[in-house]
Amino acid sequence: MTSIIESCWTYLITNFSDFQLACLGSFLLHESVFFLSGLPFIYLERAGWLSKYKIQAKHNTTEAQDKCITRLLLYHFCVNLPVMIASYPVFSFMGMRSSLPLPSWKVMSTQILFYFIVEDFIFYWGHRILHTKWLYKHVHSVHHEYATPFGLTSEYAHPAEILFLGFATIFGPAITGPHLITLWLWMVVRVLETVEAHCGYHFPWSPSNFLPLYGGSDFHDYHHRLIYTKSGNYSSTFVYMDWLFGTDTGYRKLKALKSEEEDKFKEN
């Protein structure tokens, strides 16, 4: 398996420059993973398949879904891509490389764990600030246009918020200067996580059923359902920040009530 990955990587670094791989390659990878993982949830909602796993009974209209896709393409090409190009000198200066040998799985997994911790911290506090009255009204309310989220709404946001979210995601890699393949793996994992958190479905195989402290779709869906001043659940991937600062109490109370109701139903 390692030899196959190295052969593919050798082809890439032989035929493309570091700039092309870090900027255009990263953009194409992001778009592919994002839309391939997010679009199926639109079709699930439209077709009504697996509806028993849908968190909210409410459905988005076809027009609302199409609006989201159109805006996303605009923002990705006009905001995300320029940010990737502008940030390349920083990554290059900090030591990012694409050459062989590839880093070990141990190195990559350790770095990605560090990126999750950094991103969770920055995102939590930034997200709480975005829920203050002025910033919510003028910036964050764009993301909350969809009270019933679906996978692609994870990146539907005001351009200013896109810049903030991008900063939270790339800050960890920017200060460590990782190998490009580590950066790509981090991007893939992060995109899949945020799409899952916004997908609107809670399946038996959802990661939150198996990973301790992982938020997931049920945790974040609660955040979208409530009025902005009372929502809580500000965490990005793992929920320890909400737990530490008491901003998930409403969610935990609701879960406890649902659990009690289920127990009573089983008894009867």
Side-chain angles (χ1 to χ4, degrees):
M1 181 65 178
T2 303
S3 60
I4 296 175
I5 295 174
E6 287 186 347
S7 297
C8 294
W9 196 259
T10 299
Y11 173 83
L12 289 175
I13 61 177
T14 301
N15 291 277
F16 302 96
S17 67
D18 283 355
F19 175 81
Q20 289 173 325
L21 291 173
C23 298
L24 300 181
S26 296
F27 181 74
L28 290 174
L29 178 64
H30 171 273
E31 296 303 286
S32 299
V33 175
F34 178 71
F35 282 104
L36 287 175
S37 62
L39 283 172
F41 292 107
I42 284 183
Y43 297 120
L44 280 180
E45 188 173 9
R46 290 182 180 181
W49 296 336
L50 301 177
S51 58
K52 67 178 181 178
Y53 300 119
K54 197 171 186 307
I55 299 170
Q56 297 187 48
K58 181 182 176 182
H59 286 69
N60 292 285
T61 64
T62 301
E63 291 75 20
Q65 292 172 336
D66 291 343
K67 173 189 173 184
C68 178
I69 295 172
T70 303
R71 290 279 185 90
L72 282 170
L73 289 171
L74 176 65
Y75 292 156
H76 284 184
F77 278 95
C78 297
V79 181
N80 292 21
L81 181 57
V83 168
M84 287 182 179
I85 294 173
S87 62
Y88 174 74
V90 176
F91 280 93
S92 182
F93 176 78
M94 294 303 294
M96 185 183 71
R97 65 182 183 87
S98 61
S99 59
L100 293 172
L102 297 176
S104 67
W105 287 107
K106 182 178 179 180
V107 169
M108 287 194 289
S109 59
T110 301
Q111 288 182 325
I112 288 174
L113 176 61
F114 172 70
Y115 300 158
F116 269 120
I117 294 171
V118 171
E119 200 270 345
D120 275 336
F121 181 84
I122 296 174
F123 185 96
Y124 175 83
W125 289 110
H127 195 186
R128 282 192 68 171
I129 293 171
L130 285 171
H131 275 265
T132 55
K133 188 173 182 179
W134 191 90
L135 283 174
Y136 183 89
K137 179 180 179 181
H138 296 283
V139 179
H140 194 49
S141 60
V142 174
H143 181 65
H144 279 269
E145 285 179 18
Y146 293 90
T148 307
F150 52 94
L152 296 183
T153 60
S154 57
E155 295 190 5
Y156 180 88
H158 188 283
E161 183 174 347
I162 293 173
L163 293 175
F164 157 68
L165 293 174
F167 173 78
T169 301
I170 70 173
F171 183 76
I175 63 175
T176 58
H179 194 283
L180 181 60
I181 198 170
T182 306
L183 180 64
W184 281 4
L185 182 58
W186 161 240
M187 181 191 302
V188 169
V189 172
R190 182 70 183 94
V191 168
L192 292 176
E193 180 278 321
T194 192
V195 168
E196 192 276 332
H198 289 81
C199 74
Y201 292 81
H202 185 71
F203 302 110
W205 55 86
S206 292
S208 57
N209 294 329
F210 308 100
L211 297 178
L213 299 178
Y214 181 87
S217 56
D218 187 64
F219 183 85
H220 194 68
D221 200 279
Y222 174 87
H223 174 81
H224 274 263
R225 293 199 303 270
L226 268 65
I227 301 172
Y228 78 92
T229 53
K230 302 177 181 179
S231 57
N233 289 23
Y234 301 114
S235 294
S236 173
T237 303
F238 298 100
V239 302
Y240 58 88
M241 291 293 288
D242 276 296
W243 179 79
L244 284 172
F245 295 98
T247 47
D248 64 345
T249 53
Y251 173 74
R252 285 190 281 116
K253 287 178 180 178
L254 180 63
K255 294 290 286 184
L257 287 172
K258 285 186 176 180
S259 180
E260 289 179 8
E261 290 175 359
E262 289 175 359
D263 290 340
K264 289 179 181 178
F265 179 79
K266 290 177 181 178
E267 291 175 1
N268 296 329

